[in-house]
Amino acid sequence: MPSSSAKPNPSHTLVRDADPVLLGVRQARKSAEHGPVPPYVERDADHEIDKALQAAAVGGGLVLIRGDSTAGKSRAAFEAMSRALSDRRLLIPGRGMSLDSCVEAARALSRRGHQCVVWLDDLEHYLGPSLLDQVVLRELVCLRAVLLATMRLSEYDRRTPRQTGTAKGDDAYSRIDLSDPVLKAAHIIDLRRRWSDAELARTGTQTDPRLLEALRHHKRYGIAEYVSAGPPLWDRWHNARYLGGNPRGHALVSTAVDLARCGLVPVSTELIASLHSRYLADEESAMLSPEPLEEAMAWACQDPLGASRLLMPAGQDLWRPFDYLVDTLSQLPDAPPVPDAVRETAVEHARSVQERYSVGVSCYRAERIDLALRAFLPSAETGHVDSMLYVGSIFLDQNREAEAETWWRRLAKAGNARGMLNLGVRSHRKGQRKKAEKWWRRAFDAGLPDAAARLANVHEDRGEHEEAERLWRIALDAEVPEAYFRFGLLAYQRNEYEEAERLYLEGAQRGHRECTTNLAQVFLAREDYEEAEKLYLIAAEAGDCVAMRALGLLNEWRGRIHPVDEDPEERSRRIGESLQNLFHEAEREGKWNGAARSAREWYQRAFDSGDLTSLRLLGNLYQRRAKYGKAHKCYRRAAKLGDPASAAYFNKPVLAYVRAHDVPFDEEDKGDETPWRPSPRTLRVLEAALEIEADMAAEGLKELQDRPITTSDWAIGCFDVLPSQTWNQTLVWRQQMIQTFDDLAKDIKEGHSPRPRSTGEEMALHLALEHAAAITEDSPDLAEEFTEGLPEQPDDYDWFTCKDLLFEDHDVLMLYEPWMEGIEDPGDSVNQHMDMANLHPDDWFKPFRSADARDPDRDFRY
């Protein structure tokens, strides 16, 4: 694979002149009278794809077409792009390479008045560190680029959230929760492999014999699947091992397929050849007199049908198996496991962060935890957050809590809320309740609703029932499993058994084992023993001792009433099928209750009628129910269409560019003799950032004056990145905002730490910290210039700690959240419950306390 540090020069041409085959559209089988690509048959999803592209064309965005291998994703994407964006320039970045040059090309085109489409066929090859991340995506969207991508379902599933071990109460750790932020930002459209009746009818009107032949096989295969020669190539591979075939070729392809199942792709000829003999070791293969290696490799790489090959070229001496083979084999109910030796080889040969992560996930799912740990650790050591989550969870599974805690700390320093949550659990288990509350508060402030349930327990223990109830409601709205357990228990105590059953079922579906146990208790109380047993079994498998005890009692009772003569395997299969049906039926009913479903429908109708605010309200509804991907899509679309609150949502200051700090992070109490203070170099860069922000704001104010800010404004200092509640403020208010930067910079000049004394100063410091972090990350030479003559210290530029300890709280950042709209009003119930101060823009420059008031005779810029 090419180095990720390479700087490709993505070629660009007009979309209308693009060649679909060169873009990855699969060729059909050879035909003397027809071209390599058959006529396009309209897909049911085309209308949705067109709408998504049209929306993305307004202000940039990522549109992802998702489906099985050979579902027709690339062709549907190409045709939609040709319909909707034919006049745009097409950028095609290299797979596995940095997208910096793509951003540069898009910027150059934008300066010349051209807009572009970035083609990302098989998106998984572009995701990851130094590739397509939030920063690159944001830059391209700001340039109004349309990113059009495809992705196989198997690859998407590899990157979807995954949780384990969500047990009851404060002793429950949060496990793996992976959700790629780029995928969360995408508008996803699913394309089915099996075609609908309407699609089949449209196929029947075509004259291309390849389409008509595929139509005759549609009951077993999808049209695109058959046209692209997926089934014939599958048969070619499997029939090759028999007499008169190509057994060594079969072995070579099998090796590449299993390496791909392990997450390692592409692979070299040398690696395939070194492993393939394992697939010839059985007696049957040995009797077939395998052909020479060179002949076998040539056979595997042939293109007999003019469509696809068993092994596809992927670079100089690099190959990848036809993905249809990998997906089809993986979906077989009796698919053979990947040999251990092949998995071990995949771990040894994984080099890049992406390869190690992909191989690690494959090993983890195959329950080869030892190999998964070997794969994840190198990337985790370099700060790859997803790998760190897996490593911490693996150590937790192995009861190595102290080692897991090390990774939670590293995750917390990297800004990961689940690391903070687990540090709170760890502190609570040690009896350090204040420290646990602090970590849970940080996790909650970082946007993790799961922490609300932990904090609710804390407030209940202190007798603060009103605050506890508020937090429980937040957790329930976010579908936190523990909240379902708590409200289910209350309903059961009130003899509201139907409501308790509903809540327990919701929690059980989300992996909360005590919800599963209590749901079983509901069934047991009405003497539905078989349903109770199904649920006790799943809870027991999750480690619940109460469920295990109940199963023992049930079996003892059954043995006394009538002998158990059912075959154990048959009994296990029957109960498993019943349990699966139970949860599938609940899933089909949907996780929306009636009120939420009705609200969703009304918001959609209002938006379709031209009410833009309803799109944001729909996003708020999704956000409160923890449908974060859908909420993000609503906000992104609303922002593009000009909704101020949604646009401001994307401006929230974060330390997104900062690497994890190398100073050991010690949270043990060591006394409070001297208050914490940033290092001199840290303060000097922060002072410079405050001065730069003030000067930029003053320059922008010359143009802005009293004019209200709109979503089309940019480069007017800090004012366009402030919460939308401030966008209509006066010239005097804006001058006061600039003064907050000057005042904090003066604090540093006079030898003090910049402790904000008002809401305006809090916001100024948040923006300056983000700016200072960008300086030390992106312009180290400038940072050196600012700090010349100051001694270096181990904690230089520890911006995360600055953000944690220079503020009393981060309430002001809640103004960026659309679902918190109105929280700035002192009469708002949430504002009152959380005892917030001075969030309304009119109060931003009032000191928090009388002692915080600044000298009215100090120097003023205006």
Side-chain angles (χ1 to χ4, degrees):
M1 177 181 291
S3 169
S4 61
S5 63
K7 295 282 188 180
N9 182 21
S11 59
H12 55 83
T13 184
L14 285 173
V15 167
R16 69 166 70 96
D17 298 329
D19 184 337
V21 175
L22 295 180
L23 293 183
V25 174
R26 298 194 191 282
Q27 300 183 60
R29 288 187 257 184
K30 293 177 182 177
S31 172
E33 300 177 358
H34 299 274
V37 176
Y40 184 66
V41 177
E42 180 187 347
R43 303 298 301 271
D44 292 344
D46 283 353
H47 179 64
E48 186 180 357
I49 299 172
D50 289 346
K51 285 183 65 176
L53 289 181
Q54 289 163 7
V58 174
L62 171 62
V63 176
L64 172 61
I65 301 177
R66 180 178 63 181
D68 286 319
S69 173
T70 67
K73 304 180 296 298
S74 301
R75 183 69 187 278
F78 174 81
E79 297 293 338
M81 177 177 67
S82 300
R83 288 191 301 271
L85 308 169
S86 62
D87 292 333
R88 289 201 172 212
R89 303 284 175 160
L90 181 63
L91 298 180
I92 312 169
R95 287 187 173 188
M97 294 185 176
S98 168
L99 268 70
D100 289 346
S101 60
C102 187
V103 174
E104 293 169 7
R107 187 175 291 118
L109 288 170
S110 179
R111 285 196 294 266
R112 296 199 297 271
H114 301 305
Q115 293 176 317
C116 67
V117 181
V118 182
W119 179 262
L120 302 171
D121 196 35
D122 293 331
L123 180 61
E124 65 272 13
H125 297 295
Y126 301 92
L127 295 175
S130 303
L131 302 176
L132 179 60
D133 55 18
Q134 284 177 290
V135 177
V136 172
L137 179 61
R138 187 183 307 133
E139 290 177 337
L140 288 169
V141 169
C142 286
L143 293 168
R144 297 177 64 191
V146 176
L147 293 84
L148 182 53
T150 67
M151 197 174 205
R152 288 153 53 206
L153 280 170
S154 59
E155 291 294 337
Y156 184 87
D157 181 61
R158 197 188 295 270
R159 291 160 178 81
T160 50
R162 190 166 301 277
Q163 296 186 31
T164 59
T166 50
K168 172 191 172 185
D170 298 332
D171 285 339
Y173 286 98
S174 174
R175 305 296 185 92
I176 306 163
D177 184 4
L178 304 174
S179 186
D180 193 301
V182 172
L183 294 180
K184 288 174 68 175
H187 184 145
I188 299 175
I189 298 139
D190 286 312
L191 198 66
R192 298 190 310 169
R193 178 179 65 87
R194 299 293 293 272
W195 289 31
S196 69
D197 290 343
E199 289 170 328
L200 294 173
R202 291 192 287 268
T203 305
T205 66
Q206 302 293 324
T207 58
D208 191 305
R210 295 168 295 185
L211 288 171
L212 297 178
E213 181 183 353
L215 186 60
R216 290 195 294 271
H217 295 83
H218 78 271
K219 291 185 178 180
R220 184 175 178 186
Y221 305 113
I223 299 295
E225 174 185 7
Y226 194 84
V227 168
S228 61
L233 282 174
W234 172 270
D235 294 339
R236 175 179 169 83
W237 171 37
H238 273 270
N239 293 336
R241 66 171 306 186
Y242 300 116
L243 190 61
N246 296 83
R248 191 181 301 277
H250 174 274
L252 291 171
V253 176
S254 298
T255 304
V257 167
D258 278 351
L259 285 170
R261 291 169 68 194
C262 291
L264 189 63
V265 64
V267 290
S268 66
T269 304
E270 180 182 1
L271 181 58
I272 296 173
S274 68
L275 285 173
H276 87 284
S277 59
R278 298 177 182 275
Y279 295 84
L280 290 170
D282 61 280
E283 183 178 349
E284 182 180 357
S285 296
M287 293 174 59
L288 297 178
S289 301
E291 71 278 20
L293 179 61
E294 185 175 345
E295 178 184 331
M297 196 67 191
W299 172 85
C301 301
Q302 283 176 355
D303 184 5
L305 300 174
S308 298
R309 315 175 188 191
L310 295 171
L311 293 183
M312 310 284 288
Q316 186 174 359
D317 197 36
L318 292 175
W319 305 91
R320 61 181 177 86
F322 184 26
D323 51 34
Y324 179 86
L325 307 180
V326 180
D327 287 356
T328 302
L329 180 63
S330 300
Q331 292 167 7
L332 291 178
D334 56 348
V338 175
D340 288 344
V342 175
R343 285 201 184 277
E344 292 171 2
T345 301
V347 172
E348 293 170 5
H349 284 76
R351 295 288 182 265
S352 68
V353 170
Q354 291 80 16
E355 286 180 343
R356 287 194 293 264
Y357 175 72
S358 184
V359 170
V361 172
S362 175
C363 292
Y364 187 87
R365 294 187 177 184
E367 299 184 355
R368 286 301 311 269
I369 306 303
D370 55 331
L371 293 177
L373 192 58
R374 282 173 51 193
F376 288 129
L377 269 173
S379 298
E381 293 286 358
T382 65
H384 186 240
V385 170
D386 292 346
S387 297
M388 292 162 72
L389 280 166
Y390 267 108
V391 170
S393 292
I394 288 171
F395 282 142
L396 203 57
D397 288 334
Q398 297 174 344
N399 295 318
R400 298 158 65 180
E401 289 192 37
E403 291 170 273
E405 180 182 358
T406 300
W407 291 99
W408 304 146
R409 290 190 180 279
R410 294 183 68 170
L411 282 162
K413 285 189 65 179
N416 182 269
R418 291 203 173 271
M420 300 172 194
L421 185 74
N422 282 343
L423 282 174
V425 174
R426 178 70 167 153
S427 299
H428 192 272
R429 290 166 72 93
K430 292 178 180 178
Q432 301 168 343
R433 294 182 179 272
K434 288 186 178 179
K435 191 178 292 186
E437 181 181 357
K438 187 200 76 169
W439 281 118
W440 289 334
R441 183 73 61 187
R442 283 185 62 184
F444 182 68
D445 290 342
L448 187 63
D450 302 58
R454 313 302 178 118
L455 291 171
N457 282 323
V458 171
H459 286 285
E460 278 187 344
D461 291 342
R462 291 204 290 251
E464 299 166 354
H465 299 297
E466 190 173 356
E467 175 64 6
E469 182 70 16
R470 183 189 71 82
L471 290 166
W472 278 122
R473 288 292 174 188
I474 290 174
L476 186 65
D477 286 342
E479 300 182 358
V480 176
E482 177 67 12
Y484 286 110
F485 176 77
R486 191 256 189 185
F487 285 102
L489 191 61
L490 290 175
Y492 193 83
Q493 291 169 350
R494 296 193 299 264
N495 299 324
E496 297 172 359
Y497 299 122
E498 289 187 5
E499 176 66 3
E501 181 179 342
R502 183 189 69 80
L503 290 163
Y504 287 148
L505 179 58
E506 292 278 2
Q509 287 180 276
R510 290 159 179 79
H512 194 281
R513 66 190 190 191
E514 277 74 22
C515 275
T516 310
T517 299
N518 283 18
L519 181 59
Q521 185 68 30
V522 172
F523 283 112
L524 193 65
R526 59 182 186 227
E527 299 184 359
D528 191 341
Y529 301 114
E530 186 169 352
E531 291 297 321
E533 183 180 34
K534 299 171 193 173
L535 294 160
Y536 279 135
L537 276 170
I538 195 70
E541 286 296 322
D544 185 66
C545 59
V546 176
M548 297 175 192
R549 183 195 318 146
L551 283 170
L553 291 170
L554 272 175
N555 281 289
E556 183 181 353
W557 169 83
R558 184 184 288 110
R560 287 201 306 267
I561 300 301
H562 53 80
V564 180
D565 55 4
E566 186 177 12
D567 179 73
E569 291 186 3
E570 177 61 20
R571 177 173 172 271
S572 176
R573 183 196 62 77
R574 174 179 57 79
I575 292 175
E577 287 181 353
S578 299
L579 184 64
Q580 186 178 37
N581 290 337
L582 173 70
F583 283 95
H584 280 181
E585 287 168 8
E587 190 70 21
R588 282 197 298 272
E589 291 172 6
K591 297 174 184 176
W592 295 88
N593 60 30
R597 184 164 54 246
S598 177
R600 178 187 64 180
E601 292 167 355
W602 280 112
Y603 285 147
Q604 187 64 55
R605 287 178 63 177
F607 172 64
D608 291 341
S609 299
D611 179 35
L612 180 57
T613 302
S614 290
L615 182 58
R616 186 202 330 144
L617 295 177
L618 179 59
N620 293 350
L621 183 63
Y622 282 127
Q623 180 73 25
R624 285 192 290 269
R625 300 189 67 82
K627 311 289 186 182
Y628 303 122
K630 292 183 177 181
H632 188 88
K633 291 177 189 175
C634 289
Y635 296 144
R636 177 165 51 84
R637 190 175 181 191
K640 291 174 187 174
L641 295 175
D643 178 59
S646 299
Y649 167 66
F650 294 93
N651 295 329
K652 181 177 179 180
V654 293
L655 301 178
Y657 306 93
V658 182
R659 294 188 296 267
H661 206 271
D662 293 333
V663 176
F665 195 79
D666 186 4
E667 279 295 322
E668 297 297 332
D669 296 327
K670 295 185 178 179
D672 297 321
E673 293 83 1
T674 58
W676 177 85
R677 175 181 171 82
S679 72
R681 289 165 67 88
T682 303
L683 286 172
R684 182 63 193 93
V685 174
L686 183 54
E687 178 189 353
L690 286 161
E691 292 171 345
I692 294 170
E693 286 283 348
D695 291 341
M696 291 171 59
E699 190 64 29
L701 191 56
K702 293 178 183 178
E703 174 195 341
L704 184 61
Q705 296 293 305
D706 269 322
R707 176 174 62 79
I709 295 170
T710 68
T711 55
S712 60
D713 281 312
W714 66 285
I716 51 173
C718 66
F719 301 111
D720 59 318
V721 297
L722 293 177
S724 61
Q725 294 90 335
T726 70
W727 285 12
N728 290 317
Q729 294 302 309
T730 65
L731 174 65
V732 172
W733 188 96
R734 290 164 179 165
Q735 290 172 338
Q736 289 179 289
M737 186 65 212
I738 294 173
Q739 186 63 36
T740 63
F741 292 105
D742 288 335
D743 287 340
L744 291 169
K746 186 178 179 183
D747 286 346
I748 298 176
K749 239 182 245 300
E750 294 177 349
H752 307 296
S753 292
R755 305 279 180 177
R757 306 185 189 187
S758 66
T759 301
E761 290 187 10
E762 283 185 336
M763 179 56 68
L765 187 55
H766 276 298
L767 294 173
L769 281 172
E770 183 179 39
H771 194 145
I775 290 173
T776 54
E777 280 294 301
D778 300 336
S779 305
D781 292 343
L782 183 60
E784 285 299 316
E785 182 181 329
F786 288 146
T787 58
E788 184 177 359
L790 294 177
E792 294 186 16
Q793 292 185 191
D795 60 343
D796 283 340
Y797 312 143
D798 190 352
W799 305 116
F800 283 116
T801 301
C802 288
K803 189 158 188 172
D804 188 27
L805 298 182
L806 290 178
F807 299 84
E808 293 184 27
D809 56 53
H810 295 162
D811 288 355
V812 67
L813 297 182
M814 291 187 183
L815 297 177
Y816 283 99
E817 315 295 1
W819 57 93
M820 289 290 189
E821 186 179 18
I823 198 174
E824 71 277 7
D825 183 356
D828 180 81
S829 59
V830 176
N831 183 301
Q832 293 175 350
H833 282 313
M834 299 185 71
D835 195 25
M836 294 175 168
N838 300 350
L839 287 188
H840 195 282
D842 292 347
D843 301 327
W844 269 33
F845 309 114
K846 294 179 181 178
F848 292 130
R849 291 165 287 272
S850 58
D852 291 333
R854 292 192 179 273
D855 182 359
D857 296 325
R858 67 190 186 281
D859 292 335
F860 287 88
R861 186 180 290 247
Y862 296 99

